[in-house]
Amino acid sequence: MAESDLAQLTERFDYLTERVSSDHLALNCPADKLIELCTALRDEFGYDMLNDVTAVDWDAQSPRFTGFYHFLSTTKHDYLRVAVDCPDDFNPSLPSLAGLFASANWHERETYDLFGIRYEGHPDLTRILMWDSYPYHPLRKDFPLAGIETPLPADDVAEATGASVLPAPMMGGPFTSSGDGPMSQTEPSAKDESWSEKQEKPTD
Amino acid sequence: MQNQNVAYDSKVEGEIIVTQADAVINWIRKHSVWPMPMGLACCAIELMAAGASRFDISRFGMEVMRFSPRQADCMIVAGTVTYKMAEVVRRIYDQMAEPKWVVAMGACASTGGMYRSYATLQGVDRIVPVDVYISGCPPRPEALLDAMIKLQDKIGRERAVKNLIPEKADSAELAGAGKES
């Protein structure tokens, strides 16, 4: 099924290349041809459901960001993955699929929130998980896992409580359970408690 | 009456009971705690179980869950408090009438729990004063009941007028002046 799709697609769209994949058929597509390809996938090839929109940050490589789209055909029962490199490493942007698939709306907002990729043509490209004034994109490789100190979103609450967004204490983490023995003894806990946010990590 | 200060002799006093204001007011307060279920994650499911027939929180006189902060005096923070939600938790706390108490239910509300993350408040005590912490992930309903009974003991030992006098002028101001509340 997927092989015949691949032959038809590459014959019709000569800019497509096959991408190395350990599961489903995956294709590389240039950003400016994405709308054309996805319209054909939806209307002519039966890939009528967009399951996921996400991205990868390749850190020091260029292109730095690659957007990913996972399609499902509800008639052929087959998945298809499309990978699109963002042309600009510093202000990454991709065309929005929100006009083709309703599910793209929230997925693209999430990817924008966490990776900072702008989806051109999106009807309401605002953050979906972090608050609107948050200055970072947390899934980028240059963002530390613990976070960066930032003011709380509400000024009056920050003033009344003196609290702010602080880097999370990471000592002993990640917090995993061994799984052996009774639950009372295997609750996820810190493995290294020799340092905390009040006591610096010992250097040796 | 448990209170040692109560001296009641019906032959002498007739229908008059002599006691201390603290004893009476605290006795009334601790037997009618109205919780505000701040259910944010899976701990809220255990909170619901504690309210249902099997564990039956009404045995201890605190079954009147109120979803309006104006009608509640004990906020049970059940679940993970994200930084985005922290503002809401604090605002709802400010909207509750004095006297009020806070129970941090479970690991996440107490310390951030397993969410050592850029998005999670590392303990709700950073934004509201917590009276009782409950361990567990999530705690069983019995643990919640135990904590609520401990809270009752704590209420019984307080000075009844303590919470009526604002500690700081600015905190009293904030209590009445939420954003568009």
Side-chain angles (χ1 to χ4, degrees):
Chain A
M1 198 76 80
E3 283 69 29
S4 62
D5 278 345
L6 175 65
Q8 284 181 37
L9 281 163
T10 46
E11 188 185 351
R12 181 162 155 196
F13 304 107
D14 53 3
Y15 48 79
L16 289 180
T17 52
E18 192 177 2
R19 190 180 177 86
V20 178
S21 168
S22 60
D23 45 15
H24 312 293
L25 174 62
L27 298 167
N28 290 310
C29 175
D32 55 343
K33 306 288 187 195
L34 181 66
I35 300 286
E36 180 191 41
L37 173 69
C38 293
T39 310
L41 282 176
R42 184 187 69 170
D43 296 339
E44 294 162 48
F45 290 85
Y47 288 95
D48 48 358
M49 184 189 269
L50 178 60
N51 270 353
D52 197 10
V53 177
T54 182
V56 170
D57 179 356
W58 301 107
D59 204 3
Q61 292 180 39
S62 185
R64 181 175 167 186
F65 294 99
T66 305
F68 284 91
Y69 301 86
H70 290 199
F71 295 94
L72 171 68
S73 169
T74 57
T75 50
K76 294 189 282 190
H77 309 298
D78 210 353
Y79 288 94
L80 175 71
R81 185 181 306 120
V82 175
V84 187
D85 289 334
C86 295
D88 189 339
D89 288 350
F90 297 99
N91 295 301
S93 74
L94 289 172
S96 171
L97 293 188
L100 288 173
F101 296 92
S103 65
N105 190 318
W106 282 19
H107 280 304
E108 288 179 350
R109 284 178 63 193
E110 186 190 2
T111 312
Y112 163 68
D113 188 351
L114 301 179
F115 285 97
I117 296 173
R118 298 199 62 82
Y119 287 89
E120 303 301 334
H122 191 286
D124 175 32
L125 193 67
T126 51
R127 285 176 179 270
I128 196 169
L129 294 171
M130 307 303 283
W131 55 98
D132 287 339
S133 60
Y134 193 67
Y136 305 105
H137 299 290
L139 284 193
R140 287 190 174 187
K141 285 279 189 265
D142 51 14
F143 186 88
L145 180 60
I148 299 173
E149 185 166 355
T150 316
L152 275 185
D155 294 339
D156 56 340
V157 171
E159 197 181 327
T161 60
S164 63
V165 178
L166 295 173
M170 302 302 290
M171 62 279 185
F175 301 86
T176 50
S177 166
S178 67
D180 309 324
M183 278 177 73
S184 59
Q185 291 165 24
T186 56
E187 289 245 318
S189 60
K191 302 281 183 283
D192 174 16
E193 294 183 336
S194 60
W195 59 288
S196 67
E197 61 263 66
K198 294 196 177 69
Q199 191 182 339
E200 288 288 304
K201 186 177 188 177
T203 50
D204 42 30
Chain B
M1 281 288 199
Q2 302 167 355
N3 197 302
Q4 301 296 317
N5 297 307
V6 175
Y8 173 59
D9 183 340
S10 64
K11 290 189 180 110
V12 178
E13 306 280 355
E15 294 181 347
I16 297 169
I17 297 175
V18 181
T19 181
Q20 287 181 325
D22 274 7
V24 173
I25 293 169
N26 285 339
W27 178 75
I28 293 166
R29 280 182 183 167
K30 75 189 230 185
H31 288 102
S32 70
V33 175
W34 287 28
M36 148 89 221
M38 192 79 216
L40 301 172
C42 37
C43 280
I45 302 296
E46 300 297 305
L47 176 60
M48 288 175 227
S53 55
R54 178 161 181 161
F55 298 98
D56 193 6
I57 201 170
S58 71
R59 289 179 292 162
F60 309 100
M62 46 198 142
E63 76 278 17
V64 196
M65 298 273 178
R66 281 291 178 268
F67 295 88
S68 163
R70 311 280 186 200
Q71 300 172 352
D73 58 7
C74 171
M75 183 195 263
I76 302 176
V77 184
T80 318
V81 186
T82 59
Y83 284 115
K84 199 176 179 181
M85 196 67 190
E87 172 189 357
V88 180
V89 174
R90 175 69 198 198
R91 228 177 272 300
I92 288 176
Y93 174 79
D94 286 337
Q95 288 170 355
M96 286 162 57
E98 294 276 5
K100 55 192 171 187
W101 299 275
V102 177
V103 175
M105 179 178 180
C108 292
S110 301
T111 68
M114 66 178 197
Y115 296 101
R116 295 280 185 255
S117 155
Y118 56 87
T120 305
L121 183 69
Q122 301 293 307
V124 75
D125 53 3
R126 294 190 179 188
I127 52 163
V128 291
V130 174
D131 291 283
V132 182
Y133 299 85
I134 313 175
S135 64
C137 184
R140 284 192 58 85
E142 294 94 324
L144 176 65
L145 296 178
D146 183 48
M148 295 303 281
I149 292 164
K150 282 197 166 56
L151 180 65
Q152 286 182 323
D153 291 344
K154 187 173 179 177
I155 295 169
R157 284 185 272 109
E158 280 176 353
R159 284 188 56 222
V161 295
K162 185 197 73 171
N163 293 320
L164 300 178
I165 305 162
E167 286 170 23
K168 279 182 281 177
D170 58 345
S171 69
E173 195 180 307
L174 185 93
K179 193 204 286 178
E180 302 295 322
S181 60

